[in-house]
Every structure is written in structure tokens, then in C-alpha cells.
Amino acid sequence: MWDRLKAVHAKTKDRRIADLFDGSRVADFGIESDGLFFDFSKTNIDKDTYADLIALAAAQGVAEKRDAMFAGEKINETEERAVLHTALRNLDGGPIFVDGADVMPGVKATLAKMSDFANAVRSGAFQGQGGKITDVVNIGIGGSDLGPAMAYPALKPFAVGPRCHFVSNVDGADLADKLEGLDPETTLVLVASKTFTTMETMMNAQSALRWMEAKVKDPASQFAAISTAEKETAAFGIPAERVFGFEDWVGGRYSMWGPIGLSIMLAVGPEDFTDFLRGGQAMDRHFCEAPLEQNMPFALALTGIWHHQVCGYSTRAVLPYENRLLRLPAYLQQLEMESNGKSVSLSGDALDQAVGPIVWGEPGTNGQHAFYQLIHQGRQVVPCEFIVGAEGHEPHLAHHHRALLANCLAQSEALMMGRDFAAAEAMMAKKGYTGDALRAHAMQRVFSGNRPSTTLMYQKLTPFVLGQIIALYEHRVFVEGAVMGINSYDQWGVELGKELAQKLGPAVEEHGSTEGLHAGTAALVERAKAMRGA
């Protein structure tokens, strides 16, 4: 099937996308689910090609693998774990069994515990030693940071609880800048680390504890933990009632639906957090029940496979025309690149083609004044994924949102249509250019067009819609990984650097030895020491 798809691409790569539009293309290449609309008509995928892509997914048993995931089977084979972040949002579903035990009672009990704590903080029943909690500092990294740090600004119109701040980098500047101006007596610190041993998180947590000690008699009383390491959290001084754990079948980058999302719940409240879960649950149902041809996660994933594996486009740009989704590209970088940045199959064999594309992006319209020049006129093709709401949250600024929407739709059309030399020449001739100058100026204004894009549209960004979007991309990762025959749920590639950092830790200290280090690294260690006068 791969050879067939690549032959199709070779035959049709010069075909104009615009020429594919007939009376039914928009309907044929658009999928709606619970108010979320996905349009992939502005790609060079025709009906036959889409049928071939569906056949590829069927041949790889993706639907069966999907069902195994939802059933609690241990599809994370390299770590012998189930993959059940979907259980965290299974609010209305039946039991889900792992090793013969139904996990849903525990999921619901944890959600209830989170809700009770959030209500207590928001109402003032739980207070700091200076009064009602005004600020929450979430300390985590990777999956313990990127999800909540993305969702908090996304849901700002619903955030009537304490202000949230997110610390992730071990660079002390991150912690210092986030704590500046906060009152320790009315600040709650959440330490998010499953093992309570993550180096960056625990260093930041200890420094935050010392910051609070300067003004608070019992600083640990204003800490809560998102962890399964009860002994370690108790040693830190955090009682069990303020420790929120999650199981090993929830991967870090898939964990914002549970206790890792506590900061979101504190900000927006349990009711809106539940709406967020319901949005994810709605996408889960669509993913499981819709036929493959009208299945949004399959369509998004297969479009990505067509562009990356078949067409050979090495990157994809995520372009939310919604400023409150400014952290979504960074969130999706981890979700997609840590999940599918692999070169070995589940069986341990080297893959003969690249799997995960490079994911990047910025919100519109900012990106238009930064990197769209390359997207429109650079030689490399960058498939673009536009995300936009039909309306915003500010009625008095509705004209701003209409301008935003117009820009989004204009960009996708411009990428597809382009501008040929004849049109550019006529335009510059009207400005009085002739001869060689006319040709030179006209060529600068030629756009090749025929550049693919997709558009994801919704009415307004709400907790439910955000849940739909995040679950959609999670399932996209699953489908792409299943088609490629890899494990999307481990991340061994992040381990080696961690191991070397532990080895280098003593060396960078003032009197640390560089003996045993690689010569190139040792030289840089000594250079850094000299620069700081050590």
C-alpha cells in the first residue's frame, strides 16, 4: 500500500488543489462532530487517495488497536502498561478493567477528591496563613506542566478562581520571575511529579519551600502534591489528604485530564473542568463509533501521514487563530514528537522511513508577520493546520474577531491559490514598471500556491471545545503511531540526557572534577567555571 500511495503522489504532485473543487468536495472532505468541524478539502487528497489511506489504516489493524486501547489492554508493550487516559474522562461510560480490576471507581473517587479540594480553596474554606488563596503555583515539567500551562490561558474567560502560575525550567530565573510579587501567605504550591524525584521539579519545589519559610510558619501546609509517592510526599510534609495520585496507565503528556489538571480546576472550578472532560469524552465516542471515512481523528491522522510519509514534507505548522491557544503548538510539540519521534518498530526493527514530523507554530495573526513568508514563498512545503473559532468571548470587540477569522480563511486560500506570473506582471505594469524591472518586480510577487492546509473550526472556545480539540490530537497521535507500527506511549529518547546530566552535576560545581568526561564536554565545563570565576 505504501508503494501505491507513493506512486499516486508521484503522478498527482503537480496537480492543482484548486482544480479538485467540484460541487461536492467541501462536503466530501469535511467532518463534523458535536459542533467541531474539520475541513481537509484544501489538500491534494482525492476520493481514491482517501480510500487508499483508509485501506492502509485498515490493513494495519488500527481500529482493532483502538478498541484494545479503550478496553484496557496493555498496548504500551515496552513498559507493559495499559494506555487509559481516556478513562479519566469516561464520566458516563461503563467499567474499564486492567488486570481484572475495574479502574473507574478509583478514577471517580480521585475526581471527587479534586473537586472537594478545589471548592474548599475557591470558597476560602481552605486558606493560607494570610487568608484566602489568591495564587496557585504549579511546579512540574513536561507533561506535568505543558497541559495545564496551555489550558489555563485557553480558558481564561472561565477562570474566576485564584491566579495560576507555572514553573517548569530548572533555570532559577523561571522560579524567581513567577514568585516575584506573590504573597507566600496566600499562595498555594502544587508539586507535580509522579515519583516525587524529578530533578527539575524537586529542585524548584525545595526552593519554593524556602521562599515560603521566610514568611510562613508552617510552609508545607500550603503545599499539595500530584504524585503516587506517598512516602516521599509525607517526608516533604504534605499530608495524604492533599496528595492526588494517578496510575501508571496515564502517561505524563496525556495526564491533564486527571490530577495534573488540578491547577485548571482551581482556576475554572469543578463544573467547567467537568465540561472539559465531557468534551474529551465526546471525541472519544466519535473516535470509537464513527465510520473510518467520517472519523475526524482518522482523517486528521491520515492527512498527516499523506503529507509526511508519502509527500515527504518534514514539518507541520499548527496555527491557532485564537490568542488564548498561544501555548497549543508547544503542547502539541510534546504530544506528537515525544510520542511518535521514533525510529524503531514495536518488534525492535529499524524503520525504513521517518515517523514523526517536526511540529511547530504560533498563533495568528502574529505568525503572519514572522514566518508566513517562508510558508508562502519558500521552496519547502509546510502543511498548515489552521484552528479558529467563529466568534470570540468579547462582544464589544467582535470586529476584532471577525478580522481574525478573515485573516485565517484568507491565509488558507492564499496558500492554495497563489498568484501566477501573469497576474503579478499585470499588477506591476499598472505601477509603471517596464522591461527587466517589470519582470524582476513581478517575480518577487509570484506565489506558487498549491500548498496544503486543513482548518479546524468551532463556534467559541469553551472548556468542552478545548476537551474536544485535545482528545482529537491525542487520537491523531495514536492513529499515526498504529499505522507506522510503533509504540506511541513510551519515551526512552529522553532518558540518556538525564543520565548524563546526573553525571555532570558534580563536575560543574566549584571544585568538581572533570575526570572521565568526554574531552569536548570537559573543556566546556572548565570554560563555564572560568567565566563565573570559580
Side-chain angles (χ1 to χ4, degrees):
M1 187 58 71
W2 287 113
D3 290 341
R4 176 182 173 86
L5 286 165
K6 289 179 179 178
V8 168
H9 169 61
K11 183 179 179 180
T12 63
K13 64 181 180 179
D14 296 324
R15 176 176 63 186
R16 302 295 295 182
I17 296 171
D19 293 341
L20 295 174
F21 279 78
D22 54 21
S24 65
R25 181 163 178 83
V26 174
D28 291 340
F29 289 85
I31 299 174
E32 190 274 338
S33 176
D34 293 291
L36 189 66
F37 181 71
F38 176 62
D39 171 65
F40 59 118
S41 62
K42 295 186 181 73
T43 69
N44 202 5
I45 299 172
D46 57 27
K47 290 181 180 179
D48 291 338
T49 305
Y50 191 47
D52 286 342
L53 289 165
I54 293 291
L56 172 66
Q60 294 295 96
V62 178
E64 292 78 10
K65 294 174 183 176
R66 171 201 62 195
D67 296 344
M69 176 178 70
F70 276 88
E73 296 184 23
K74 295 182 179 180
I75 67 167
N76 179 353
E77 296 182 16
T78 60
E79 296 180 307
E80 297 183 351
R81 295 174 180 172
V83 175
L84 277 178
H85 49 278
T86 54
L88 300 179
R89 52 193 190 236
N90 181 39
L91 300 179
D92 306 316
I96 299 174
F97 293 93
V98 175
D99 294 329
D102 181 9
V103 303
M104 289 311 303
V107 168
K108 292 179 179 179
T110 298
L111 182 60
K113 181 180 178 181
M114 291 170 58
S115 298
D116 289 344
F117 182 64
N119 283 329
V121 171
R122 287 163 60 86
S123 68
F126 175 93
Q127 295 193 352
Q129 291 171 57
K132 188 174 181 180
I133 296 296
T134 58
D135 295 271
V136 173
V137 176
N138 186 92
I139 298 178
I141 196 166
S144 298
D145 166 76
L146 283 165
M150 175 274 297
Y152 178 65
L155 300 180
K156 197 66 172 20
F158 304 86
V160 293
R163 297 181 296 265
C164 291
H165 316 269
F166 299 89
V167 176
S168 57
N169 203 321
V170 75
D171 184 345
D174 191 17
L175 182 68
D177 289 349
K178 299 296 170 54
L179 296 183
E180 185 177 3
L182 302 188
D183 182 354
E185 292 187 322
T186 59
T187 297
L188 171 68
V189 179
L190 307 180
V191 183
S193 171
K194 183 180 285 189
T195 63
F196 228 62
T197 59
T198 308
M199 184 275 288
E200 299 93 336
T201 299
M202 297 316 301
M203 184 174 286
N204 279 324
Q206 292 290 348
S207 295
L209 185 67
R210 288 193 293 273
W211 167 78
M212 195 170 282
E213 281 174 345
K215 194 171 181 181
V216 175
K217 291 183 179 180
D218 183 11
S221 69
Q222 289 176 215
F223 276 68
I226 302 163
S227 177
T228 57
E230 295 181 2
K231 183 182 296 185
E232 287 76 8
T233 56
F236 194 91
I238 303 173
E241 61 265 24
R242 293 202 307 277
V243 177
F244 304 85
F246 54 101
E247 302 295 333
D248 64 5
W249 35 259
V250 179
R253 57 193 174 276
Y254 298 89
S255 60
M256 63 188 295
W257 310 98
I260 291 295
L262 182 57
S263 58
I264 309 171
M265 184 185 281
L266 287 163
V268 305
E271 184 175 339
D272 282 326
F273 187 81
T274 300
D275 283 345
F276 169 66
L277 298 182
R278 291 196 183 281
Q281 178 183 245
M283 184 54 65
D284 292 344
R285 287 178 174 168
H286 170 79
F287 183 43
C288 290
E289 296 172 3
L292 300 193
E293 295 79 5
Q294 284 295 310
N295 194 301
M296 198 180 295
F298 272 87
L300 181 62
L302 294 174
T303 300
I305 285 172
W306 168 257
H307 287 151
H308 185 51
Q309 276 77 26
V310 182
C311 300
Y313 306 144
S314 59
T315 80
R316 65 170 62 126
V318 178
L319 307 170
Y321 275 67
E322 180 90 50
N323 196 63
R324 290 190 172 106
L325 288 177
L326 78 168
R327 294 289 291 162
L328 182 64
Y331 172 79
L332 293 179
Q333 280 179 346
Q334 187 201 24
L335 182 66
E336 299 200 33
M337 295 171 70
E338 189 166 271
S339 296
N340 288 348
K342 309 291 173 63
S343 59
V344 177
S345 71
L346 269 169
S347 60
D349 298 320
L351 298 171
D352 58 3
Q353 57 182 322
V355 178
I358 298 167
V359 179
W360 60 286
E362 279 286 318
T365 57
N366 296 25
Q368 293 176 199
H369 296 267
F371 52 79
Y372 277 43
Q373 169 62 38
L374 181 145
I375 289 175
H376 281 288
Q377 288 189 311
R379 290 185 62 86
Q380 61 271 63
V381 174
V382 180
C384 294
E385 299 182 356
F386 295 99
I387 301 173
V388 67
E391 59 179 315
H393 283 276
E394 294 75 28
H396 65 294
L397 297 174
H399 59 296
H400 282 252
H401 198 88
R402 288 193 291 270
L404 183 76
L405 177 62
N407 271 273
C408 178
L409 302 183
Q411 291 296 327
S412 67
E413 181 171 325
L415 284 166
M416 178 178 68
M417 299 301 294
R419 178 193 290 148
D420 63 20
F421 178 77
E425 186 180 42
M427 182 174 68
M428 299 315 295
K430 286 183 180 179
K431 293 181 179 292
Y433 290 98
T434 60
D436 290 344
L438 172 61
R439 179 185 179 281
H441 281 275
M443 285 299 294
Q444 299 299 321
R445 291 158 176 81
V446 170
F447 295 79
S448 64
N450 214 34
R451 302 196 173 204
S453 70
T454 63
T455 300
L456 188 67
M457 186 178 290
Y458 46 87
Q459 180 185 349
K460 183 188 291 186
L461 186 60
T462 64
F464 185 90
V465 168
L466 182 65
Q468 287 180 291
I469 293 171
I470 300 307
L472 168 64
Y473 273 91
E474 287 178 347
H475 296 324
R476 186 247 199 105
V477 166
F478 168 81
V479 173
E480 290 189 353
V483 167
M484 299 305 300
I486 64 169
N487 181 4
S488 298
Y489 300 101
D490 61 12
Q491 56 282 326
W492 301 111
V494 306
E495 298 299 325
L496 181 57
K498 288 182 181 180
E499 295 171 11
L500 292 176
Q502 290 179 345
K503 181 180 179 181
L504 275 164
V508 299
E509 296 296 333
E510 185 173 354
H511 299 294
S513 171
T514 58
E515 184 178 353
L517 298 182
H518 184 276
T521 304
L524 290 173
V525 169
E526 296 299 344
R527 171 77 62 171
K529 288 180 179 180
M531 284 181 170
R532 67 174 193 251

